[in-house]
Amino acid sequence: RMAKAEDGGPAIMAKLSGPGPAKYFLKGTCGFMNHDPSKLRNPAYKLGGRVWPNLGRHDGPGPAAYAVPPKIVRMGRDGNPSYSLYGRTKQLKAFLTPGPDAYSAERCPPTTVAKAPSYSFGLRTMLMSKKKTPAPNAYSLPAMVGPRAVDKSSPPSYSMTGRSKMGSFHQDTKKTPGPGTYNSADPNVYKIRSPIYSLTARNVVPSDSTRKPGPGAHSPEKVYMTRRIAPQFSFGVRHSDYKAPILDVGVIV
């Protein structure tokens, strides 16, 4: 967290004084808690209060805690028969026998007379509507005449096609391609192939493209290497006390 000055801005670290020796707290070497980890710590023991004498004691259940059925004896279950009484069940309703008018004797044909069978058309069920069974017209019987007969030997069959215009007397010869339709063959295909050369682009020689200083960029009149000059001094500005000093690497070495 950054410290703040009295005016609310960031504080200068040079003005902040560091904590003194009393600021730091060294861990002790006595006791078990907060012991110095660099020192040996012996085991610690403590004396507790007397616990209740009956604490942790568990008494088992007595004989009265178990409910033993009275019919259970030492040798097992009592073998005498036992009976129980249940409530009276509800009486069933009387069966209603149909009378003579419940039947339609006129709809029943005489049983002594021969009768032709009768059929009825019912509705299509849901199961039959889902079946994709092909209809009778989906099948076709093999041909009985011709080369595709199944159970018969067939003589050779011939077919007559239309007259072709190719090669006939009424063929249109104007559509025949002329000599200009064909391209001339490459001589390298049927003769000795000559060497082939290709011209590529000019390669650029690698060079340095940086800008170089010209003669006017130098000031030889400011150089005093050929003669002795007096020492020169300059007055600098007063630096802040909180500015970190800049150390020269050559001086340190």
Side-chain angles (χ1 to χ4, degrees), residues 63-218:
Y66 301 97
V68 181
K71 295 183 179 181
I72 301 298
V73 296
R74 182 174 62 85
M75 301 301 295
R77 186 179 179 86
D78 188 9
N80 297 328
S82 58
Y83 304 94
S84 59
L85 297 177
Y86 292 95
R88 184 184 299 272
T89 58
K90 295 181 180 180
Q91 295 182 357
L92 299 177
K93 294 182 179 180
F95 178 73
L96 300 177
T97 304
D101 58 345
Y103 302 96
S104 299
E106 66 277 1
R107 297 182 181 179
C108 181
T111 58
T112 59
V113 180
K115 181 185 176 183
S118 58
Y119 305 95
S120 60
F121 290 92
L123 299 177
R124 185 185 298 273
T125 59
M126 296 296 296
L127 182 61
M128 296 299 295
S129 61
K130 294 182 180 180
K131 290 185 178 180
K132 303 298 182 181
T133 305
N137 58 354
Y139 303 94
S140 58
L141 297 177
M144 302 300 295
V145 180
R148 296 184 180 181
V150 178
D151 55 344
K152 295 182 179 180
S153 59
S154 59
S157 58
Y158 305 93
S159 61
M160 300 182 67
T161 60
R163 184 187 299 273
S164 176
K165 293 183 180 181
M166 185 66 65
S168 62
F169 63 92
H170 64 286
Q171 179 182 2
D172 189 5
T173 57
K174 296 180 180 180
K175 297 181 180 180
T176 304
T181 308
Y182 304 96
N183 297 328
S184 58
D186 189 3
N188 293 327
V189 176
Y190 55 90
K191 290 185 178 181
I192 300 176
R193 185 172 182 176
S194 304
I196 301 175
Y197 304 95
S198 60
L199 297 177
T200 59
R202 183 187 299 269
N203 296 327
V204 180
V205 180
S207 61
D208 188 6
S209 60
T210 57
R211 301 182 62 182
K212 307 299 188 297
H218 305 279

